[in-house]
Amino acid sequence: MHNNKNHQIKNFSWTIEFKSKEETSHVTVWISFSNLSTNLFAKRSLLFFSSTVEKSIVVDKATQVRSRPSTTRVRVILDLMDKHSDLIRLQSVDKVITESIIEESQKVVYNNLPQYCTHYKHQDHDEKKCRLLIEKKK
């Protein structure tokens, strides 16, 4: 709170190319995996296969203590300018019965993924609905 008003704060990672007038295209978001096998709830496993999406940071507390077995969540750093996969392929070895490789697809859900305007370099700004860009095209 500043001057009795609430203000939103956005943190940006500093890089050599950092420009104070432009917002970075990198964000941290939660990704969710629904109905994941409970043997994959281990923090190490989750961080490993979520890193196929982008850079993994942390597993949420509910996932760690297994209080929400229907969904696991991992915080990742994404570049909004990249294409994001909706599915990942998981492979495991069935050591108990046949020692065969089991392969399955897992849906990836991105929670609250913001838009990114490549023209104005702003997060939460959709180029398709940008009034300034629409007016320029007229």
Side-chain angles (χ1 to χ4, degrees):
M1 188 176 256
H2 178 68
N3 293 334
N4 293 325
K5 294 182 182 177
N6 290 327
H7 298 276
Q8 183 178 2
I9 295 175
K10 290 185 179 182
N11 293 323
F12 299 108
S13 300
W14 186 88
T15 63
I16 292 174
E17 300 90 23
F18 182 80
K19 295 177 184 157
S20 61
K21 303 280 186 204
E22 296 177 2
E23 293 182 6
T24 181
S25 62
H26 292 87
V27 293
T28 59
V29 295
W30 288 106
I31 58 172
S32 301
F33 303 103
S34 297
N35 302 316
L36 193 64
S37 176
T38 53
N39 64 335
L40 296 174
F41 269 52
K43 182 178 178 181
R44 193 174 187 189
S45 298
L46 286 169
L47 291 175
F48 176 73
F49 68 76
S50 63
S51 68
T52 62
V53 176
E54 277 291 338
K55 183 178 178 184
S56 304
I57 302 172
V58 68
V59 176
D60 83 330
K61 192 68 172 175
T63 300
Q64 288 179 24
V65 298
R66 300 180 185 199
S67 64
R68 186 188 52 232
S70 62
T71 305
T72 59
R73 292 187 344 146
V74 179
R75 190 91 165 166
V76 296
I77 299 173
L78 291 177
D79 187 343
L80 295 171
M81 294 177 63
D82 291 345
K83 192 143 177 86
H84 304 110
S85 167
D86 291 334
L87 286 174
I88 59 172
R89 234 176 46 210
L90 302 174
Q91 291 181 335
S92 58
V93 177
D94 180 5
K95 293 181 180 179
V96 178
I97 302 172
T98 61
E99 293 194 19
S100 61
I101 296 175
I102 300 167
E103 189 173 305
E104 57 187 284
S105 293
Q106 178 64 50
K107 185 176 179 182
V108 180
V109 177
Y110 299 89
N111 305 114
N112 301 318
L113 188 64
Q115 298 287 326
Y116 186 72
C117 176
T118 56
H119 187 267
Y120 287 105
K121 308 285 193 247
H122 283 292
Q123 293 179 11
D124 294 327
H125 185 91
D126 188 2
E127 288 179 17
K128 295 172 191 149
K129 298 176 185 173
C130 177
R131 288 179 285 143
L132 297 173
L133 284 176
I134 293 169
E135 287 174 13
K136 277 186 179 181
K137 289 179 183 179
K138 289 183 180 180

